[in-house]
Amino acid sequence: MDTVSLTGKELAAAINADTKQRAAARTEAGAAPRLALIVATDDPASAWYVNSLRKAAERLGIACDTVDLGADASADTIRAELAARSADSATDAIMLQTPLPAGISLDDVSSAIVATKDVDGVSPLSLGLLASGLDGFVPATAEAVVELLKQHEIPLEGRHVAVVGRSNIVGKPLAQLLLAENATVTVCHSRTADLPAVTSAADIVVAAAGRIGLVTGKHVREGAVVIDVGTNEAADGGIVGDVDAESVRGKAAALSPVPGGIGPVTTALLMRHVVVAAENASD
Ligand code: NAD
């Protein structure tokens, strides 16, 4: 079977074209949309990602302040910065980069981000709104999975989707978004017994575990659609996903590549959220 490559570049370009116009309209009306990127890590992969977000913002006409609190910042310091930015009328959107300093989890600090500026949907309020089916910002990576499937005209209603990973920023919000699309969802995680048996029963498998090569041909049934959310650092310094593409290709009907699949759509959606936050603030 030929395996179609579900690339994200085309969708990202379409989202970005719209975002750029809307950002320009905000600039003309008084001020460019402004994103505060809060960093408290010296992790090199994070530095690369933050830099790529800054460049994406710049290309789209979004102002971006990077606030580096240092890798030894305390939870109180991080919360105070998030609260200050939440109260600052010049800041439209806030994103807190992970990982955080050792011993601090996203849940320890994310409630300090006001929901109207929480463009990556990480605060308990944003996650609760999503679980309740109410309006709010949704984690961009989870949204990217659903948008990429839709753009490639892969139906979700009534389909069985296995999500591998249950984090608050990818697996759990994705399960909620898929339920809202009327899919039947199974969420798998590190304690799932017999992962291949569960995933190979699904029409669509989404790998979001952060484990290189976790999903192989034996995890996927003939003709399934596979979405690879993983962005793991390879031995050669490049980026590889969670799916062993070689063993899945030829068996799956479609597979999203890494890089070039979910990644560009995630960044595009995040930037769209920044513009939406700015538009909402000006209403
Ligand atoms: P996380 O470490 O918070 O969560 C990983 C999840 O995978 C956990 O729920 C865990 O139970 C599950 N898991 C781990 N090992 C497993 C196993 N052997 N079998 C089944 N489940 C297992 O990670 P995260 O923040 O959710 O990120 C997941 C992946 O997605 C990472 O590779 C991350 O880099 C990537 N990611 C990509 C983007 C993007 O824009 N493309 C954005 C965010 C995260």
Side-chain angles (χ1 to χ4, degrees):
M1 168 177 298
D2 278 349
T3 302
V4 175
S5 181
L6 302 176
T7 62
K9 288 183 179 160
E10 207 176 64
L11 175 57
I15 296 167
N16 286 338
D18 173 63
T19 301
K20 196 170 179 175
Q21 274 189 359
R22 289 161 70 174
R26 295 301 331 136
T27 303
E28 244 169 67
R34 181 170 292 276
L35 167 68
L37 258 172
I38 315 299
V39 182
T41 175
D42 50 16
D43 173 49
S46 275
W48 181 89
Y49 185 58
V50 166
N51 197 34
S52 79
L53 287 180
R54 285 182 61 85
K55 284 193 200 146
E58 225 167 80
R59 278 195 300 271
L60 297 171
I62 292 169
C64 184
D65 303 329
T66 306
V67 183
D68 191 347
L69 299 174
D72 54 359
S74 67
D76 282 347
T77 302
I78 298 169
R79 266 195 299 267
E81 182 63 31
L82 296 174
R85 289 289 176 160
S86 291
D88 170 28
S89 61
T91 300
D92 297 300
I94 301 168
M95 193 193 149
L96 176 61
Q97 179 61 26
T98 54
L100 295 169
I104 304 176
S105 78
L106 194 53
D107 296 337
D108 294 331
V109 295
S110 61
S111 60
I113 307 175
V114 68
T116 48
K117 300 184 184 185
D118 182 19
V119 284
D120 209 15
V122 295
S123 77
L125 180 52
S126 299
L127 291 168
L129 290 170
L130 171 61
S132 312
L134 298 171
D135 274 353
F137 287 115
V138 167
T141 309
E143 189 181 9
V145 173
V146 173
E147 292 303 313
L148 189 69
L149 288 166
K150 283 186 179 171
Q151 191 241 346
H152 288 278
E153 295 179 351
I154 294 163
L156 287 166
E157 183 158 328
R159 312 288 294 284
H160 179 194
V161 186
V163 177
V164 185
R166 60 172 165 184
S167 72
N168 276 353
I169 59 163
V170 189
K172 278 190 213 164
L174 175 57
Q176 299 292 348
L177 289 174
L178 291 167
L179 288 174
E181 297 293 333
N182 297 314
T184 302
V185 185
T186 305
V187 181
C188 311
H189 46 79
S190 52
R191 311 275 175 91
T192 295
D194 202 352
L195 184 67
V198 179
T199 53
S200 57
D203 302 306
I204 300 170
V205 178
V206 182
R211 301 281 182 274
I212 296 176
L214 175 67
V215 172
T216 66
K218 76 172 182 173
H219 293 78
V220 172
R221 71 159 175 75
E222 191 86 26
V225 171
V226 183
I227 301 291
D228 194 350
V229 176
T231 50
N232 310 296
E233 203 177 336
D236 65 0
I239 283 179
V240 285
D242 288 358
V243 176
D244 174 28
E246 216 156 285
S247 67
V248 166
R249 238 179 253 125
K251 195 170 183 193
L255 168 66
S256 71
V258 177
I262 291 298
V265 182
T266 298
T267 302
L269 287 171
L270 192 64
M271 295 301 153
R272 173 193 271 172
H273 292 178
V274 176
V275 168
V276 170
E279 289 171 350
N280 291 346
S282 73
D283 280 350

